[in-house]
Amino acid sequence: MADIPPDPTDPVQSTAVSATHHSTAWSRAYEIAAGTPRPLPAESVTVERAAGRVLAAPLRAVRSVPAFDTAAMDGYAVTGPGPWTVTAQLLAGAPQPGPMRPGTAIEIATGAVVPEGAEAILPYEDSARDGTLVTGVLGARAHIRRAGDDVRPGDELVPAGRPVNATVAAAAVQAGVERLMAHRAPGVTLLVTGNEVISAGVPGPGQVRDSFTGLVSAIAARAGALPPARRHVSDVAALLESELAAARTEVVVVSGSSSAGAADHLHGVLDRLGAAWHVRGVACRPGHPQALAELPDGRWVVSLPGNPFAGLVAALTLLEPLLHALSGSPPAVLPTVPVRGTTRLMPYGVRIVPVHRGTPWHIAGPVSSAGLHAAARADGLAVLPGSWTDGDPAQILALP
Ligand SMILES: Nc1nc2c(c(=O)[nH]1)N[C@H]1C(S)=C(S)[C@@H](COP(=O)(O)OP(=O)(O)OC[C@H]3O[C@@H](n4cnc5c(N)ncnc54)[C@H](O)[C@@H]3O)O[C@H]1N2
Ligand code: MOO
């Protein structure tokens, strides 16, 4: 049996049940984060500086590839019937000799400009040379790459919406592109709340090491955002409010302070600042108290619950699709695979569990919303709806 019946004594399950009127379905929350923000404006950047950004316009070739008729083999450029008299040697990058006359050959290197009048390249392995005389039989292929065979000026190399990875950058440079139009990369500020949270050293009594900086940085990097600026904020409402006001990035991520405790000030502060709530609680476990709000000046605030596994789930549910959208990427389609195993399902929402890759994928075992060890050993997180049964397909979130 895949299903374990809901546990009415589980405080989070009962919270989630009572919150069904307020919280957003997980798939809807993901859609809102992916679909609400507009991409940041485009700007012209050098190919080198565009790495990791998303193309705002199709990338078009400026020059032909190859740019000139190019020898595709080491051997002899020949013209007319053989045998041929070798008149010169031509290496790649060397200046062009004059036009070839019938019955002559030029010893040529792969990548050299094919001399005017050459009909084919006779590869060394198909030829015999005696002094200045070369003999051989030409095959069906001329072994000449003609200018523009691969790409011509104006051809679309890569459509808009694709990230500029190293391969795109290399293709751009090959086709003579120096600058391209890319969306600006979103800036991120991470406000780590909690008096008990420390960023280095051995925790003292009641203290914990910060789990979020590395996770948020990795998600920002893979979603096309700039490296986050990080600030630690003590549990004082006025401090959180001034840090939120001071953050000059398009996105502010707040870890902790998402819930109802005496030290959890985020919701009150956002209400005071006049934020619009796009998502305020998600029908999932863990990660129920996560939220997405928009400040009156257009900055986005993502609230990650302080329990580290819950915060990771929230970062994959709201932060990553938000950053993708701002950086101009089309919405990601999450892979769906059959998943085996047992877990306690959520009757009114989804359960998100670490899973191991395999045929089929399988649930990694019990997890709390605080511990990261099961996720650390896993190959992804599976999103299991309340109706899921053992072996049904589930969407997979990629771990950072
Ligand atoms: N009365 C209620 N209490 C709680 C509810 C609820 O609905 N009603 N929800 C629970 C759930 S679910 C979660 S998740 C947490 C969310 O808590 P907060 O976001 O307010 O975070 P904190 O209270 O500050 O911390 C919770 C927990 O996480 C640890 N933490 C915080 N930040 C970090 C960090 N950067 N690195 C590592 N660990 C961190 C913190 O020490 C606490 O242990 O609320 C439940 N309570
Ligand atoms: O469900 Mo909370 O989001 O336990 O950690």
Side-chain angles (χ1 to χ4, degrees):
M1 277 296 290
D3 298 24
I4 299 172
D7 176 1
T9 63
D10 178 335
V12 181
Q13 283 198 25
S14 53
T15 305
V17 170
S18 66
T20 46
H21 304 298
H22 313 290
S23 54
T24 306
W26 183 87
S27 55
R28 181 72 193 126
Y30 189 92
E31 257 172 40
I32 290 170
T36 313
R38 298 177 61 79
L40 296 181
E43 59 186 4
S44 165
V45 279
T46 61
V47 172
E48 291 71 24
R49 287 201 45 223
R53 307 263 203 110
V54 176
L55 289 170
L59 183 64
R60 294 192 183 281
V62 173
R63 302 179 61 208
S64 293
V65 180
F68 47 84
D69 292 351
T70 311
M73 293 288 238
D74 299 311
Y76 298 93
V78 296
T79 186
W84 301 275
T85 305
V86 180
T87 60
Q89 190 189 51
L90 193 53
L91 302 181
Q96 268 283 77
M100 292 181 72
R101 291 187 318 279
T104 63
I106 291 178
E107 188 175 5
I108 195 165
T110 302
V113 180
V114 174
E116 199 186 321
E119 285 168 9
I121 310 297
L122 179 67
Y124 283 129
E125 48 274 46
D126 298 340
S127 71
R129 181 163 174 177
D130 184 7
T132 58
L133 214 58
V134 174
T135 51
V137 179
L138 291 171
R141 299 182 59 189
H143 300 299
I144 296 173
R145 290 197 187 100
R146 294 292 172 192
D149 264 0
D150 290 335
V151 162
R152 291 176 179 279
D155 281 357
E156 180 177 300
L157 300 171
V158 183
R162 301 276 302 185
V164 182
N165 58 21
T167 309
V168 170
V173 168
Q174 186 183 44
V177 177
E178 298 288 341
R179 301 185 74 85
L180 49 80
M181 292 303 287
H183 291 283
R184 267 182 30 226
V188 179
T189 303
L190 169 61
L191 302 181
V192 176
T193 72
N195 294 346
E196 78 286 17
V197 179
I198 59 167
S199 60
V202 180
Q207 291 186 322
V208 294
R209 279 285 295 269
D210 168 37
S211 295
F212 283 99
T213 302
L215 294 171
V216 169
S217 301
I219 289 171
R222 78 180 186 186
L226 297 171
R230 177 192 185 278
R231 310 268 300 161
H232 182 260
V233 189
S234 321
D235 292 321
V236 176
L239 285 179
L240 181 58
E241 186 164 337
S242 62
E243 289 287 352
L244 269 169
R248 296 272 45 95
T249 50
E250 286 86 7
V251 177
V252 185
V253 182
V254 181
S255 69
S257 200
S258 73
S259 188
D264 299 334
H265 303 298
L266 182 61
H267 284 238
V269 166
L270 287 175
D271 280 335
R272 257 199 310 287
L273 291 173
W277 294 94
H278 290 273
V279 175
R280 196 173 195 174
V282 175
C284 69
R285 183 184 170 152
H288 166 253
Q290 62 184 293
L292 174 64
E294 193 178 355
L295 290 165
D297 60 12
R299 288 176 299 144
W300 295 90
V301 180
V302 181
S303 163
L304 307 180
N307 281 325
F309 182 50
L312 171 60
V313 163
L316 297 177
T317 302
L318 295 179
L319 177 61
E320 183 157 26
L322 174 85
L323 294 178
H324 266 297
L326 290 170
S327 55
S329 291
V333 178
L334 294 176
T336 299
V337 297
V339 173
R340 296 297 312 263
T342 57
T343 188
R344 193 186 300 283
L345 294 170
M346 285 267 302
Y348 299 100
V350 302
R351 167 80 62 177
I352 298 181
V353 290
V355 280
H356 294 300
R357 186 190 303 277
T359 320
W361 287 56
H362 52 283
I363 294 172
V367 276
S368 78
S369 62
L372 288 168
H373 60 289
R377 282 200 301 265
D379 298 302
L381 303 182
V383 182
L384 306 179
S387 58
W388 177 84
T389 55
D390 190 354
D392 280 355
Q395 288 176 302
I396 303 291
L397 296 164
L399 288 160

Short mmCIF file of all heavy atoms in Angstrom, two decimals, residues 93-130:
data_model
loop_
_atom_site.label_atom_id
_atom_site.label_comp_id
_atom_site.label_asym_id
_atom_site.label_seq_id
_atom_site.Cartn_x
_atom_site.Cartn_y
_atom_site.Cartn_z
N GLY A 93 45.88 29.64 -42.48
CA GLY A 93 46.23 31.01 -42.09
C GLY A 93 47.22 31.67 -43.03
O GLY A 93 47.48 32.87 -42.90
N ALA A 94 47.81 30.90 -43.98
CA ALA A 94 48.82 31.47 -44.89
C ALA A 94 48.13 32.26 -46.01
O ALA A 94 46.98 31.98 -46.34
CB ALA A 94 49.65 30.35 -45.49
N PRO A 95 48.82 33.26 -46.59
CA PRO A 95 48.20 34.03 -47.67
C PRO A 95 47.95 33.17 -48.91
O PRO A 95 48.65 32.18 -49.14
CB PRO A 95 49.22 35.14 -47.97
CG PRO A 95 50.49 34.72 -47.30
CD PRO A 95 50.18 33.72 -46.26
N GLN A 96 46.97 33.56 -49.67
CA GLN A 96 46.54 32.82 -50.86
C GLN A 96 47.58 32.90 -51.97
O GLN A 96 48.03 34.00 -52.29
CB GLN A 96 45.26 33.46 -51.40
CG GLN A 96 44.00 32.87 -50.88
CD GLN A 96 43.71 31.55 -51.58
OE1 GLN A 96 44.33 30.54 -51.27
NE2 GLN A 96 42.81 31.55 -52.53
N PRO A 97 47.92 31.77 -52.59
CA PRO A 97 48.72 31.86 -53.81
C PRO A 97 47.81 32.29 -54.97
O PRO A 97 46.59 32.40 -54.78
CB PRO A 97 49.22 30.43 -54.00
CG PRO A 97 48.20 29.59 -53.36
CD PRO A 97 47.55 30.39 -52.27
N GLY A 98 48.36 32.48 -56.13
CA GLY A 98 47.54 32.86 -57.29
C GLY A 98 46.66 31.70 -57.74
O GLY A 98 46.72 30.61 -57.16
N PRO A 99 45.83 31.90 -58.78
CA PRO A 99 44.93 30.85 -59.26
C PRO A 99 45.74 29.64 -59.75
O PRO A 99 46.85 29.80 -60.27
CB PRO A 99 44.20 31.51 -60.43
CG PRO A 99 44.58 32.94 -60.45
CD PRO A 99 45.73 33.15 -59.54
N MET A 100 45.17 28.45 -59.57
CA MET A 100 45.86 27.20 -59.97
C MET A 100 45.64 26.94 -61.46
O MET A 100 44.58 27.24 -62.01
CB MET A 100 45.32 26.02 -59.16
CG MET A 100 45.69 26.09 -57.70
SD MET A 100 45.07 24.66 -56.79
CE MET A 100 46.13 23.35 -57.39
N ARG A 101 46.67 26.36 -62.07
CA ARG A 101 46.56 25.96 -63.49
C ARG A 101 46.31 24.47 -63.55
O ARG A 101 46.79 23.71 -62.68
CB ARG A 101 47.85 26.31 -64.23
CG ARG A 101 48.07 27.83 -64.40
CD ARG A 101 49.29 28.10 -65.29
NE ARG A 101 50.43 27.23 -65.00
CZ ARG A 101 51.30 27.42 -64.00
NH1 ARG A 101 51.17 28.48 -63.21
NH2 ARG A 101 52.29 26.59 -63.80
N PRO A 102 45.58 23.97 -64.58
CA PRO A 102 45.33 22.53 -64.71
C PRO A 102 46.64 21.74 -64.67
O PRO A 102 47.66 22.19 -65.20
CB PRO A 102 44.66 22.41 -66.09
CG PRO A 102 44.07 23.75 -66.36
CD PRO A 102 44.97 24.75 -65.67
N GLY A 103 46.59 20.57 -63.99
CA GLY A 103 47.77 19.71 -63.92
C GLY A 103 48.69 20.06 -62.76
O GLY A 103 49.74 19.43 -62.58
N THR A 104 48.31 21.05 -61.93
CA THR A 104 49.16 21.40 -60.79
C THR A 104 48.49 20.99 -59.48
O THR A 104 47.28 20.73 -59.43
CB THR A 104 49.45 22.92 -60.74
OG1 THR A 104 48.20 23.60 -60.54
CG2 THR A 104 50.13 23.41 -62.00
N ALA A 105 49.30 20.93 -58.43
CA ALA A 105 48.83 20.61 -57.08
C ALA A 105 49.47 21.56 -56.10
O ALA A 105 50.60 22.03 -56.34
CB ALA A 105 49.19 19.17 -56.73
N ILE A 106 48.77 21.87 -55.03
CA ILE A 106 49.35 22.63 -53.92
C ILE A 106 49.17 21.79 -52.67
O ILE A 106 48.04 21.36 -52.35
CB ILE A 106 48.68 24.01 -53.77
CG1 ILE A 106 49.06 24.91 -54.96
CG2 ILE A 106 49.06 24.67 -52.46
CD1 ILE A 106 48.43 26.28 -54.95
N GLU A 107 50.30 21.50 -52.01
CA GLU A 107 50.20 20.73 -50.76
C GLU A 107 49.47 21.61 -49.74
O GLU A 107 49.84 22.77 -49.55
CB GLU A 107 51.60 20.37 -50.26
CG GLU A 107 51.56 19.41 -49.10
CD GLU A 107 52.94 18.94 -48.67
OE1 GLU A 107 53.95 19.43 -49.24
OE2 GLU A 107 53.00 18.09 -47.77
N ILE A 108 48.41 21.06 -49.12
CA ILE A 108 47.52 21.93 -48.33
C ILE A 108 47.19 21.29 -46.98
O ILE A 108 47.13 20.06 -46.86
CB ILE A 108 46.23 22.24 -49.15
CG1 ILE A 108 45.45 23.41 -48.54
CG2 ILE A 108 45.32 21.01 -49.26
CD1 ILE A 108 44.40 24.01 -49.48
N ALA A 109 47.02 22.14 -45.97
CA ALA A 109 46.67 21.66 -44.62
C ALA A 109 45.18 21.87 -44.38
O ALA A 109 44.58 22.83 -44.90
CB ALA A 109 47.47 22.44 -43.58
N THR A 110 44.57 21.00 -43.59
CA THR A 110 43.16 21.16 -43.18
C THR A 110 43.00 22.55 -42.56
O THR A 110 43.80 22.96 -41.73
CB THR A 110 42.79 20.11 -42.13
OG1 THR A 110 43.02 18.82 -42.68
CG2 THR A 110 41.35 20.23 -41.69
N GLY A 111 41.99 23.28 -43.02
CA GLY A 111 41.72 24.62 -42.47
C GLY A 111 42.29 25.71 -43.32
O GLY A 111 41.94 26.88 -43.11
N ALA A 112 43.16 25.38 -44.29
CA ALA A 112 43.71 26.42 -45.17
C ALA A 112 42.64 26.85 -46.18
O ALA A 112 41.74 26.07 -46.50
CB ALA A 112 44.94 25.89 -45.89
N VAL A 113 42.78 28.08 -46.66
CA VAL A 113 41.87 28.57 -47.72
C VAL A 113 42.17 27.77 -48.98
O VAL A 113 43.33 27.64 -49.38
CB VAL A 113 42.11 30.07 -47.98
CG1 VAL A 113 41.17 30.57 -49.08
CG2 VAL A 113 41.92 30.87 -46.72
N VAL A 114 41.13 27.24 -49.60
CA VAL A 114 41.33 26.47 -50.83
C VAL A 114 41.69 27.44 -51.96
O VAL A 114 40.98 28.43 -52.17
CB VAL A 114 40.04 25.69 -51.18
CG1 VAL A 114 40.17 24.99 -52.52
CG2 VAL A 114 39.73 24.69 -50.08
N PRO A 115 42.80 27.20 -52.66
CA PRO A 115 43.23 28.15 -53.69
C PRO A 115 42.21 28.23 -54.83
O PRO A 115 41.52 27.25 -55.12
CB PRO A 115 44.55 27.57 -54.20
CG PRO A 115 44.91 26.46 -53.29
CD PRO A 115 43.71 26.05 -52.52
N GLU A 116 42.17 29.41 -55.43
CA GLU A 116 41.25 29.62 -56.55
C GLU A 116 41.55 28.60 -57.65
O GLU A 116 42.71 28.37 -57.98
CB GLU A 116 41.48 31.05 -57.07
CG GLU A 116 40.34 31.58 -57.89
CD GLU A 116 40.71 32.95 -58.50
OE1 GLU A 116 41.36 33.77 -57.81
OE2 GLU A 116 40.34 33.14 -59.68
N GLY A 117 40.53 27.99 -58.17
CA GLY A 117 40.71 27.04 -59.27
C GLY A 117 40.86 25.60 -58.83
O GLY A 117 40.77 24.68 -59.66
N ALA A 118 41.07 25.35 -57.51
CA ALA A 118 41.24 23.96 -57.05
C ALA A 118 39.91 23.21 -57.22
O ALA A 118 38.85 23.77 -56.95
CB ALA A 118 41.67 23.94 -55.59
N GLU A 119 39.98 21.96 -57.67
CA GLU A 119 38.75 21.19 -57.87
C GLU A 119 38.46 20.26 -56.70
O GLU A 119 37.31 19.94 -56.41
CB GLU A 119 38.86 20.36 -59.15
CG GLU A 119 38.70 21.22 -60.39
CD GLU A 119 39.10 20.49 -61.66
OE1 GLU A 119 39.33 19.27 -61.61
OE2 GLU A 119 39.20 21.17 -62.69
N ALA A 120 39.51 19.77 -56.07
CA ALA A 120 39.33 18.82 -54.97
C ALA A 120 40.61 18.77 -54.15
O ALA A 120 41.67 19.24 -54.59
CB ALA A 120 39.00 17.43 -55.53
N ILE A 121 40.46 18.19 -52.95
CA ILE A 121 41.64 17.88 -52.14
C ILE A 121 41.85 16.37 -52.25
O ILE A 121 40.92 15.58 -52.00
CB ILE A 121 41.44 18.26 -50.66
CG1 ILE A 121 40.91 19.69 -50.50
CG2 ILE A 121 42.71 18.03 -49.87
CD1 ILE A 121 41.82 20.78 -50.99
N LEU A 122 43.07 16.00 -52.61
CA LEU A 122 43.45 14.58 -52.65
C LEU A 122 44.14 14.30 -51.32
O LEU A 122 45.23 14.82 -51.07
CB LEU A 122 44.41 14.36 -53.83
CG LEU A 122 44.95 12.96 -54.03
CD1 LEU A 122 43.83 11.99 -54.43
CD2 LEU A 122 46.05 12.97 -55.11
N PRO A 123 43.50 13.51 -50.43
CA PRO A 123 44.12 13.28 -49.11
C PRO A 123 45.46 12.55 -49.26
O PRO A 123 45.65 11.77 -50.19
CB PRO A 123 43.09 12.41 -48.39
CG PRO A 123 41.80 12.61 -49.12
CD PRO A 123 42.18 12.85 -50.54
N TYR A 124 46.38 12.81 -48.32
CA TYR A 124 47.70 12.13 -48.37
C TYR A 124 47.52 10.63 -48.55
O TYR A 124 48.23 9.99 -49.31
CB TYR A 124 48.46 12.37 -47.06
CG TYR A 124 49.08 13.74 -46.92
CD1 TYR A 124 48.86 14.50 -45.78
CD2 TYR A 124 49.93 14.24 -47.91
CE1 TYR A 124 49.44 15.75 -45.64
CE2 TYR A 124 50.51 15.50 -47.77
CZ TYR A 124 50.27 16.25 -46.64
OH TYR A 124 50.83 17.48 -46.50
N GLU A 125 46.55 10.06 -47.79
CA GLU A 125 46.45 8.59 -47.78
C GLU A 125 45.97 8.02 -49.12
O GLU A 125 46.10 6.83 -49.36
CB GLU A 125 45.57 8.10 -46.62
CG GLU A 125 44.23 8.79 -46.42
CD GLU A 125 44.30 10.07 -45.57
OE1 GLU A 125 45.21 10.90 -45.80
OE2 GLU A 125 43.44 10.23 -44.68
N ASP A 126 45.43 8.89 -50.00
CA ASP A 126 45.01 8.41 -51.32
C ASP A 126 46.02 8.79 -52.41
O ASP A 126 45.73 8.68 -53.60
CB ASP A 126 43.64 9.02 -51.70
CG ASP A 126 42.56 8.60 -50.73
OD1 ASP A 126 42.75 7.58 -50.03
OD2 ASP A 126 41.53 9.31 -50.64
N SER A 127 47.18 9.29 -51.99
CA SER A 127 48.11 9.82 -52.98
C SER A 127 49.48 9.17 -52.85
O SER A 127 49.80 8.53 -51.84
CB SER A 127 48.25 11.34 -52.77
OG SER A 127 48.98 11.56 -51.56
N ALA A 128 50.28 9.33 -53.90
CA ALA A 128 51.69 8.92 -53.87
C ALA A 128 52.48 10.08 -54.44
O ALA A 128 52.05 10.74 -55.40
CB ALA A 128 51.89 7.66 -54.70
N ARG A 129 53.64 10.35 -53.80
CA ARG A 129 54.41 11.50 -54.27
C ARG A 129 55.82 11.04 -54.62
O ARG A 129 56.43 10.27 -53.88
CB ARG A 129 54.47 12.57 -53.17
CG ARG A 129 55.25 13.79 -53.62
CD ARG A 129 54.97 14.97 -52.73
NE ARG A 129 55.83 16.09 -53.09
CZ ARG A 129 55.78 17.28 -52.53
NH1 ARG A 129 54.90 17.49 -51.56
NH2 ARG A 129 56.59 18.23 -52.93
N ASP A 130 56.29 11.56 -55.74
CA ASP A 130 57.65 11.27 -56.17
C ASP A 130 58.26 12.60 -56.59
O ASP A 130 57.93 13.15 -57.65
CB ASP A 130 57.61 10.27 -57.34
CG ASP A 130 59.00 9.85 -57.78
OD1 ASP A 130 59.98 10.23 -57.09
OD2 ASP A 130 59.11 9.16 -58.81
#
